[in-house]
Amino acid sequence: MLIPRRPPGLVLIVCAVAVACLAAAPPEISPALTGLQAPAPAQRALPLTLPNKDDALKFGVMGDFGTGKTEQYQLGDQMARVRSQFPFELMITVGDNIYGGSKPADFVKKFETPYKALLSAGVKFYASLGNHDSRQQSAYALFNMDGKTYYTFKAPKQDVRFFALESSYLDPTQLQWLERELQSSREDWKIPYFHHPLYSSGDRHGSDLPKRKALEPLFQKYGVTVVFAGHDHVYERVMPQQGITYFVVGSSGQLRKGNIDKGTGFTAYANATEQAFLAVEVSGDQMYFNAVSRSGKVIDAGVIERRKQ
Amino acid sequence: MTTSRRIAVLLGLAPALCVMSLLAAGLTQDDKPRVNADAALSVEFLKGVQAYVALHKKLEATLPPRPEHATPAEIEAHEQALARLIIQARSGAKQGDLLPQKVRAYLRRQIGGVLRGPDGAIIRQSIMEDNPGKVRLRCNARYPEGLPITTMPAPILGALPKLPDHVEYRFVGDRLVLLDIHSQLVMDYMTDALPL
């Protein structure tokens, strides 16, 4: 599928400048590790480029992770390392939380153990569901979904509201609910997250055009700036599409190496060589992000200015 | 033009106007029965689904309530106990009970209408890309453990009758499944739901 390339615009220029400035001033080091042993560089500080302001909202984004394999555990360790330097208080998931069944043992092996350090530290997970997830996960206490397959919540800091959608089932009831919630939300930042990407250069799935048609007009109309999704097992940041930056973070466990279509024309940055998750900081009208890989590299970084209507 | 001539012209046009009115009325007559018939089928279908939901609720009320914020063990225990009760209560259930032939034909028409529309190709593509394909399904039995679920595009859901909470449509291959998401039971399914 060919989608016309759009100019990167101001946001990417701001990103590049911010990365350059922030890289010069690495944050304080406080390495701590839990769970499986991480590779040797674990003892060194991660080269994060986030401002790490006291009053900022700090959160993580991960997706397509629940495999129970070594790579998931290793990335879990990196998350704990990141948190020791950058104390994020919540983690949103973009689905495919538990692959291959939802027995109690699956929750232990594919969620509770790899993220034990985060859970013990009080990080709250707010899940959305993917096509491999039982709908019953919505009742799982540690996913904080309150029994709902789609829901919204206000972040504990900054002027931020999240919208977790059930993208495999966009029925009229959910779409009407979303419009109502977006319309009534008074927060500066309205952040939707869900499984199926509206824009993706993943070769396996790619952009979901019917969902784009259903959701993008609402995001446009109600001042959304950033959207997080997964499904394709890659990390990708899409060039702003009509002012909105789309991320694909389907890279946190089940990686599909090399699975990137270079011909879509909308990729700002993509990586399908290593598992990764996103560390994000919202402070005022800026959203800073670092994509951190399983080996502890910052593979993508930048800052996005809030879209004002 | 004189008044008498105007009257003559109008009188001359009158038969044509009458024919056009009759044709228009005829078209409306043709459409009306289909609309009414489809509405009746939708009501009939939902009546069956509501009866299922009532049974589900009645049986669920006999179980210890599942905590609002549950552990995986509590979720599994509740789901399995509920499934056992429903399977037992519907032991005679067979394919077509909730989706009789006329309802199936109606649902096929609704889905076909969307797939033949301007976005039909991308909607079909969206359905097929997560589709688990030819998997054995049984009515009043568990949806296969670990099997991914298909995406249900908004235009398809918009064209189908709205289901009560906790009941969903899903495609498996070319079958349309009615799924009870609390018990993970296949309530019923129909074949050939995705017309070529």
Side-chain angles (χ1 to χ4, degrees):
Chain A
M1 171 186 35
L2 284 175
I3 296 179
R5 187 186 174 107
R6 292 189 170 89
L10 179 64
V11 173
L12 288 183
I13 297 164
V14 174
C15 287
V17 171
V19 169
C21 295
L22 292 167
E28 286 299 307
I29 305 164
S30 178
L33 272 180
T34 49
L36 290 187
Q37 280 302 307
Q43 301 312 313
R44 296 199 301 271
L46 291 163
L48 302 179
T49 62
L50 299 159
N52 210 357
K53 292 179 190 166
D54 284 343
D55 64 343
L57 171 69
K58 295 161 194 169
F59 66 96
V61 186
M62 63 185 206
D64 303 72
F65 52 90
T67 63
K69 293 180 183 164
T70 306
E71 294 83 356
Q72 181 194 3
Y73 278 66
Q74 288 174 339
L75 187 64
D77 283 345
Q78 294 297 353
M79 291 173 185
R81 282 185 75 197
V82 168
R83 195 179 180 281
S84 70
Q85 296 176 213
F86 173 73
F88 58 87
E89 51 203 310
L90 60 98
M91 174 74 83
I92 58 173
T93 86
V94 292
D96 284 2
N97 309 316
I98 310 280
Y99 285 100
S102 286
K103 298 277 180 208
D106 292 310
F107 283 84
V108 173
K109 183 182 176 188
K110 301 168 186 175
F111 178 69
E112 292 174 9
T113 308
Y115 310 116
K116 189 177 177 184
L118 299 181
L119 290 164
S120 301
V123 173
K124 285 189 87 174
F125 286 72
Y126 290 90
S128 64
L129 301 178
N131 58 304
H132 286 271
D133 294 321
S134 158
R135 310 294 96 179
Q136 292 282 70
Q137 286 182 20
S138 62
Y140 177 42
L142 297 181
F143 282 170
N144 290 295
M145 300 174 76
D146 288 337
K148 300 182 186 93
T149 53
Y150 53 90
Y151 60 102
T152 177
F153 65 99
K154 187 169 169 54
K157 282 183 185 166
Q158 297 285 321
D159 208 13
V160 178
R161 176 168 288 278
F162 291 96
F163 301 83
L165 306 184
E166 211 291 47
S167 59
S168 80
Y169 209 80
L170 292 174
D171 63 351
T173 309
Q174 183 178 184
L175 290 172
Q176 285 156 16
W177 168 87
L178 177 62
E179 173 143 32
R180 225 174 25 247
E181 292 294 335
L182 285 170
Q183 192 171 27
S184 62
S185 160
R186 292 288 162 260
E187 285 80 8
D188 283 346
W189 289 89
K190 303 172 188 186
I191 305 178
Y193 64 99
F194 47 88
H195 190 58
H196 298 84
L198 306 193
Y199 292 88
S200 168
S201 303
D203 223 4
R204 172 75 174 82
H205 299 295
S207 308
D208 191 313
L209 299 182
K211 287 181 181 59
R212 188 192 294 176
K213 207 163 179 174
L215 294 173
E216 192 175 44
L218 295 178
F219 297 163
Q220 282 296 326
K221 187 174 177 185
Y222 295 109
V224 169
T225 302
V226 173
V227 175
F228 299 105
H231 198 38
D232 269 314
H233 298 164
V234 300
Y235 169 80
E236 182 179 19
R237 175 167 49 87
V238 172
M239 291 175 187
Q241 303 294 310
Q242 299 170 67
I244 300 177
T245 299
Y246 293 85
F247 286 89
V248 178
V249 196
S251 52
S252 307
Q254 191 82 297
L255 194 75
R256 199 166 275 123
K257 287 194 175 176
N259 193 248
I260 291 172
D261 175 359
K262 291 175 182 161
T264 59
F266 55 59
T267 302
Y269 175 80
N271 185 303
T273 58
E274 229 190 332
Q275 279 77 3
F277 81 107
L278 262 181
V280 184
E281 177 169 350
V282 176
S283 178
D285 287 337
Q286 282 80 42
M287 175 185 284
Y288 303 85
F289 61 90
N290 276 189
V292 181
S293 77
R294 180 165 61 95
S295 62
K297 295 183 193 118
V298 175
I299 58 172
D300 188 28
V303 57
I304 296 165
E305 189 73 20
R306 184 169 70 83
R307 197 162 72 91
K308 290 170 188 134
Q309 284 191 308
Chain B
M1 194 185 286
T2 63
T3 306
S4 57
R5 188 153 172 94
R6 277 197 193 115
I7 290 167
V9 169
L10 283 173
L11 284 173
L13 285 173
L17 288 169
C18 282
V19 169
M20 284 168 70
S21 304
L22 285 171
L23 280 172
L27 282 174
T28 309
Q29 290 299 318
D30 282 349
D31 281 352
K32 258 187 180 168
R34 165 59 69 81
V35 171
N36 289 338
D38 283 354
L41 287 169
S42 178
V43 169
E44 180 191 332
F45 165 59
L46 290 176
K47 210 169 142 187
V49 174
Q50 291 290 1
Y52 173 93
V53 170
L55 174 69
H56 171 128
K57 284 182 178 165
K58 186 179 147 196
L59 295 171
E60 192 166 22
T62 66
L63 297 171
R66 187 184 69 189
E68 202 171 310
H69 302 272
T71 64
E74 287 167 336
I75 294 169
E76 188 189 41
H78 187 86
E79 182 184 302
Q80 289 189 350
L82 178 60
R84 269 196 301 273
L85 290 176
I86 296 174
I87 289 169
Q88 198 175 15
R90 296 184 75 220
S91 58
K94 55 188 186 306
Q95 194 192 343
D97 281 354
L98 295 171
L99 295 163
Q101 192 179 3
K102 280 183 179 175
V103 169
R104 295 199 295 269
Y106 160 61
L107 296 179
R108 274 188 204 107
R109 278 198 301 278
Q110 296 299 102
I111 295 166
V114 174
L115 294 180
R116 283 190 299 274
D119 292 330
I122 60 168
I123 289 168
R124 183 187 292 274
Q125 193 185 348
S126 181
I127 294 167
M128 295 313 291
E129 67 114 0
D130 293 332
N131 196 315
K134 289 178 183 169
V135 178
R136 187 161 180 254
L137 289 177
R138 282 194 303 121
C139 185
N140 199 31
R142 301 293 295 276
Y143 185 79
E145 175 82 14
L147 192 71
I149 52 170
T150 44
T151 201
M152 296 297 297
I156 294 281
L157 292 172
L160 295 175
K162 181 186 178 312
L163 294 173
D165 285 351
H166 315 310
V167 178
E168 291 184 350
Y169 298 105
R170 295 288 176 182
F171 288 108
V172 177
D174 70 348
R175 291 161 291 181
L176 181 70
V177 175
L178 287 178
L179 185 65
D180 175 344
I181 63 169
H182 271 193
S183 64
Q184 295 292 315
L185 288 176
V186 173
M187 296 158 55
D188 200 353
Y189 68 91
M190 58 183 268
T191 55
D192 302 319
L194 286 170
L196 292 173

